[in-house]
Amino acid sequence: MLYDCRSPADRDRGIAAAIEAVKNGELVVLPTDTVYGIGADAFTPYAVKALADAKGSRQAPPVLIGSRHTLDGLVFTLPRAARDLVEAFWPGALTIVVEHSPSLAWDLGDSSGTVAVRMPLHPVALEVLRETGPMAVASANKLGKPAALTAEEAREQLGYGVRAYLEAGPAVDPVPSTVVDLTGDVPRLLRQGAVSLAQLRDVVPDILDEQGV
């Protein structure tokens, strides 16, 4: 079902429905500060598999969280550079790749002990995430198709495999998030997106670009 979160009443119903769906291991589509995402409870393996099946991709999905403090529960140790970047750019369009704690009871696919984490700057997404906890979230489109800029566009691609669609209007800034790998000795830019390399280097001067320079 699609809920128009631009209406206060529908927003409340939609957020409640999305939270319930995620806790039941079902899929939801929600707005973020980049494009719309399709999400599932990160700790429910069959839900993560359903997400992969809906999207048509076996790539390990990123994880969205609703609080900076949640990050501490997901990682074994957090490098100083990661903390500085989080402080500067979260919530926002920066994804960090870190080594997750080996004790976590999740299965995101072949991620080699790492996880890509982001805290989005969108009130609807944050309200859902603060109740559900970490969610595996990928762009809400079929593999090879354009990213959905509205929940309606996502529904046209994903159909009835998703329990709740949260519509918040067209994505304001559909540029993808910037991705930084913080698992090595030196931070490295994997994908330049909404946060520029110059902005990153203002915070972490030794970060390498996509060519390793």
Side-chain angles (χ1 to χ4, degrees):
M1 185 169 179
L2 190 145
Y3 300 87
D4 190 343
C5 294
R6 293 166 293 188
S7 157
D10 219 21
R11 174 189 168 120
D12 290 345
R13 286 193 295 268
I15 287 175
I19 292 168
E20 181 182 11
V22 172
K23 290 183 176 181
N24 287 336
E26 297 174 291
L27 303 180
V28 300
V29 162
L30 69 168
T32 76
D33 47 345
T34 55
V35 295
Y36 277 72
I38 177 174
D41 177 21
F43 293 97
T44 303
Y46 68 82
V48 176
K49 182 181 183 302
L51 187 158
D53 291 343
K55 188 170 176 65
S57 171
R58 293 296 166 215
Q59 185 174 359
V63 169
L64 295 191
I65 58 178
S67 164
R68 294 178 187 176
H69 300 297
T70 304
L71 182 61
D72 291 323
L74 300 181
V75 298
F76 185 65
T77 58
L78 196 63
R80 175 60 186 270
R83 294 192 182 278
D84 291 344
L85 290 171
V86 164
E87 182 65 30
F89 299 111
W90 277 15
L94 175 70
T95 299
I96 60 171
V97 179
V98 292
E99 294 181 359
H100 67 71
S101 174
S103 63
L104 288 181
W106 66 11
D107 182 5
L108 299 175
D110 185 12
S111 59
S112 302
T114 68
V115 61
V117 189
R118 186 164 88 85
M119 180 182 175
L121 181 58
H122 196 289
V124 172
L126 290 175
E127 194 166 342
V128 173
L129 288 161
R130 284 168 183 157
E131 292 297 322
T132 63
M135 286 177 60
V137 179
S139 58
N141 57 280
K142 290 286 190 181
L143 187 65
K145 299 291 186 180
L149 303 184
T150 66
E152 183 59 50
E153 288 182 12
R155 185 165 66 171
E156 289 172 3
Q157 294 192 45
L158 301 170
Y160 294 105
V162 173
R163 176 64 180 273
Y165 290 86
L166 303 186
E167 180 66 83
V172 176
D173 188 6
V175 178
S177 67
T178 294
V179 182
V180 176
D181 184 354
L182 292 150
T183 61
D185 294 333
V186 180
R188 179 167 181 169
L189 179 67
L190 297 183
R191 181 181 75 192
Q192 186 156 288
V195 180
S196 70
L197 179 60
Q199 289 174 297
L200 295 171
R201 282 180 169 164
D202 282 343
V203 179
V204 181
D206 64 342
I207 190 169
L208 301 177
D209 65 15
E210 292 159 294
Q211 283 72 49
V213 178

